[in-house]
Amino acid sequence: MRALYTAATGMMAQEKNVEVISNNVANMRTTGFKRQTIHFQDLLYEHQRRAGAPTSDQNTQNPAGLFVGSGVKTVATPRIMSQGNVTNTERTYDMAIRGEGFFRIQLPDGRTAYTRDGGFETDSQGRLTTKDGYLVDPGITVPQDATSVSVNQLGQVSAMLPAQIQPQALGQITMSRFVNKVGLESIGDNLFLETPGSGPAIDGTPGAEGFGNLQQGYLEESNVNAVTEIAAMIQAQRAYELNSKVITGADQMLQATSNLFRG
């Protein structure tokens, strides 16, 4: 019976939905995390009677067709790239982006990754890195004898050195944005990669047209909303239950039919 397989696709789709929701909830405290949603599409239809087909020799037509669907499929899990809350950490190398843009990160294999996680550190050479030791691009090195480091809203980094009255410029933090940032590929570690779907990176500096600005000593929180995720979870559970009841009902109908033939 077709209903068994149709309802089964619905149950599998809701299982995937719950997996997406659980990942969102698990990352509620992940810096710069962007929650995912899920999109579905209906599967192919069997056309048992087409709309507009003739119904008599007097040119009358069937106003509505008879189409039987075969279920649902998951087609995409795009990220919602809205701004997360910005919280004060009072840490020198923490930076939050207010507005559009991603930090550029140089991976060990030479590729450039992108992130909204501005929780940076310095390595043994004073270079600005992520928590995994990946270099921030372009490279910025903090002198070992620096007494303080400041980053303004435009991404200009400077440090106070002993016996100097004026701060010394260390470099400029740059950012990238994308025409379709939803098309970025997530690779874990709060990092994204450019894809043909995202389009090429558009590079610029904080505060430039189309780019947000920086806030030193702050981090962007996840944009996951607990209430929204709970509501989505309840909806997924109800849809799963309904599909399971369809399978139970279809099975009972098959058993009744089988018993009739046996009789």
Side-chain angles (χ1 to χ4, degrees):
M1 182 177 284
R2 184 193 304 273
L4 286 170
Y5 302 102
T6 301
T9 65
M11 293 181 70
M12 289 187 290
Q14 293 310 317
E15 284 181 2
K16 186 68 67 177
N17 191 9
V18 171
E19 290 173 5
V20 171
I21 294 169
S22 65
N23 186 59
N24 289 341
V25 174
N27 284 282
M28 285 185 63
R29 300 296 297 169
T30 300
T31 303
F33 179 81
K34 302 303 178 184
R35 70 182 183 92
Q36 289 177 285
T37 185
I38 191 165
H39 291 170
F40 303 107
Q41 284 183 352
D42 50 355
L43 292 173
L44 294 173
Y45 287 80
E46 179 184 346
H47 293 201
Q48 298 181 355
R49 188 179 185 187
R50 292 186 176 276
T55 57
S56 72
D57 294 336
Q58 283 71 40
N59 295 325
T60 56
Q61 293 180 337
N62 181 31
L66 177 57
F67 309 115
V68 180
S70 54
V72 63
K73 64 179 178 180
T74 305
V75 293
T77 53
R79 291 188 181 272
I80 307 300
M81 292 291 193
S82 59
Q83 177 80 47
N85 292 329
V86 174
T87 57
N88 188 357
T89 65
E90 298 183 357
R91 297 183 73 249
T92 300
Y93 300 113
D94 283 351
M95 304 174 206
I97 300 174
R98 293 292 298 267
E100 291 292 324
F102 294 84
F103 294 109
R104 298 167 54 86
I105 306 299
Q106 192 70 37
L107 297 180
D109 60 7
R111 294 179 299 172
T112 299
Y114 306 89
T115 185
R116 293 281 295 191
D117 181 1
F120 299 135
E121 307 284 352
T122 54
D123 63 11
S124 60
Q125 302 177 48
R127 298 176 300 180
L128 199 63
T129 70
T130 67
K131 290 181 173 61
D132 291 313
Y134 304 150
L135 295 177
V136 176
D137 181 27
I140 293 176
T141 302
V142 178
Q144 300 289 340
D145 57 348
T147 56
S148 65
V149 177
S150 62
V151 184
N152 65 18
Q153 293 188 346
L154 303 181
Q156 297 163 345
V157 185
S158 57
M160 289 299 299
L161 301 178
Q164 289 191 1
I165 301 177
Q166 297 296 327
Q168 177 178 318
L170 300 181
Q172 169 73 57
I173 292 177
T174 61
M175 297 195 301
S176 297
R177 60 184 179 88
F178 298 86
V179 173
N180 178 31
K181 54 189 175 182
V182 176
L184 292 170
E185 177 186 352
S186 303
I187 60 171
D189 299 328
N190 293 352
L191 299 175
F192 298 93
L193 291 179
E194 175 187 314
T195 70
S198 68
I202 303 170
D203 299 333
T205 56
E209 184 177 359
F211 289 88
N213 53 39
L214 295 186
Q215 283 191 281
Q216 183 183 17
Y218 288 79
L219 285 177
E220 181 186 5
E221 295 180 349
S222 163
N223 66 353
V224 175
N225 183 294
V227 175
T228 301
E229 298 304 321
I230 291 172
M233 178 67 75
I234 293 173
Q235 290 178 327
Q237 288 175 324
R238 294 295 178 266
Y240 188 92
E241 290 172 4
L242 287 172
N243 280 287
S244 67
K245 289 179 179 179
V246 170
I247 289 179
T248 301
D251 179 55
Q252 291 173 349
M253 293 171 66
L254 283 173
Q255 287 180 354
T257 302
S258 178
N259 291 336
L260 285 175
F261 281 113
R262 289 175 184 173

